[in-house]
Amino acid sequence: MKLLRYGEKGKEKPGLIDKTGQIRDLSAHIADLAGEAFSPASLAKIAALDPEKLPAVSGKPRIGAVVGGSPKFIAIGLNYTDHAKEVGMAIPAEPIVFMKGNNSLCGPNDQVEKPRGSTKLDWEVELAIIIGSRAKYVSEADALNHVAGYSICNDVSERFFQLERLGQWTKGKSHDTFGPLGPWLVTKDEIADVQKLPMWLDVNGKRCQTGSTATMIFGVKKIVSYLSEIMTLMPGDVIATGTPPGVGTGMKPPKYLNVGDVVTLGIEGLGEQRQEIIAA
């Protein structure tokens, strides 16, 4: 299934995409795509519905972040071998973990704010994991049983805030709109191999990132298992899993985003995003 949230910001409704690409309204069956709505029982209930009997949504509504509520927004840094090399950092022995404020979650095509004082605004196309059931001390062999599905995240980053303002990476990762998520959640049964997904990102129509989840240092199973040892993962939690090479800070000379720039990105099977940069 492809699940999504649509409508005005703060008033999103749950929906699904049928085989023709039509949005169908799910609000008679679930209140929102949040928390327990991602549980195996809830997804099975949705999967049993006949999409043709669900109300069709007219027009082209705004698409919201695919996860509602107040999930944990966790991210993994330096998780692609080729990305670590481009920024001159050592391959980590364990996953590098940081948090993004859940206030940064926004729709996949919403405008992205350039913060006041920003000088090094950067982009990162990433595979996002959406947790489906509570995970605490789970093994790698059992990890995917706790995953609801996958989506796309642009882990927007302000490198000056992140690296030069004396603190954790969270400082440069948590501004409003720094977490475009969507357009859909694709349930894991539709993804043949999550570790073989091509991904890309363009800035103003020029290709900057080309990669594949095949070059992850720590794969999805390892990430979920590892995180479940240091925090309990709950339904609806979002995990951004790192980015391939081609970020602005790794270019020679570095290149950063300015007001008016347009970022487009996608992952095979998971859809595409588009964001225009505006002033905060």
Side-chain angles (χ1 to χ4, degrees):
M1 294 184 294
K2 291 183 174 68
L3 304 176
L4 79 165
R5 298 171 70 245
Y6 68 93
E8 297 178 26
K9 188 174 182 180
K11 298 180 180 180
E12 293 92 346
K13 294 181 178 182
L16 62 76
I17 305 290
D18 69 18
K19 293 181 179 180
T20 69
Q22 171 68 50
I23 299 176
R24 299 281 180 167
D25 183 17
L26 281 173
S27 55
H29 300 275
I30 56 173
D32 196 2
L33 282 172
E36 291 295 330
F38 295 106
S39 70
S42 176
L43 293 181
K45 178 183 176 182
I46 295 170
L49 298 172
D50 181 354
E52 292 188 2
K53 294 182 179 180
L54 298 172
V57 177
S58 62
K60 295 183 178 180
R62 169 188 172 270
I63 306 301
V66 76
V67 174
S70 299
K72 292 196 290 296
F73 195 176
I74 312 159
I76 307 298
L78 293 176
N79 194 34
Y80 283 69
T81 52
D82 32 16
H83 171 57
K85 291 177 181 177
E86 78 168 337
V87 295
M89 301 183 76
I91 302 296
E94 294 188 31
I96 294 173
V97 180
F98 62 92
M99 306 297 289
K100 289 175 71 78
N102 57 21
N103 61 282
S104 67
L105 286 168
C106 67
N109 304 314
D110 288 351
Q111 294 173 318
V112 166
E113 295 182 359
K114 183 177 183 181
R116 297 173 185 179
S118 168
T119 58
K120 298 180 179 180
L121 187 64
D122 208 346
W123 57 83
E124 294 188 4
V125 57
E126 305 203 5
L127 172 76
I129 304 167
I130 314 300
I131 295 297
S133 59
R134 183 178 182 273
K136 183 175 183 179
Y137 296 118
V138 302
S139 66
E140 289 186 42
D142 188 41
L144 293 188
N145 291 327
H146 296 268
V147 172
Y150 307 100
S151 192
I152 304 170
C153 176
N154 184 358
D155 178 17
V156 183
S157 308
E158 213 303 325
R159 303 300 188 188
F160 174 65
F161 294 3
Q162 176 188 357
L163 302 172
E164 301 175 52
R165 291 190 62 182
L166 303 178
Q168 300 298 318
W169 287 6
T170 300
K171 280 187 177 182
K173 300 282 190 172
S174 296
H175 191 80
D176 292 350
T177 72
F178 271 24
L181 184 68
W184 322 298
L185 175 146
V186 179
T187 50
K188 62 187 176 185
D189 58 292
E190 289 202 13
I191 305 298
D193 187 345
V194 73
Q195 301 301 160
K196 290 183 179 179
L197 299 180
M199 54 209 307
W200 57 271
L201 182 145
D202 294 351
V203 177
N204 298 327
K206 181 179 180 181
R207 184 60 44 93
C208 293
Q209 289 188 273
T210 302
S212 169
T213 56
T215 66
M216 278 185 179
I217 298 167
F218 306 105
V220 170
K221 293 179 182 179
K222 175 65 176 181
I223 289 169
V224 173
S225 175
Y226 182 88
L227 288 175
S228 78
E229 296 175 0
I230 58 177
M231 66 183 80
T232 300
L233 301 174
M234 299 298 293
D237 282 351
V238 179
I239 307 168
T241 60
T243 197
V247 298
T249 197
M251 295 181 175
K252 296 182 175 29
K255 177 181 178 181
Y256 298 110
L257 295 168
N258 292 302
V259 172
D261 287 340
V262 174
V263 180
T264 51
L265 57 148
I267 299 178
E268 185 175 283
L270 301 182
E272 298 183 4
Q273 299 186 355
R274 180 189 185 278
Q275 298 109 32
E276 179 185 355
I277 310 303
I278 63 170

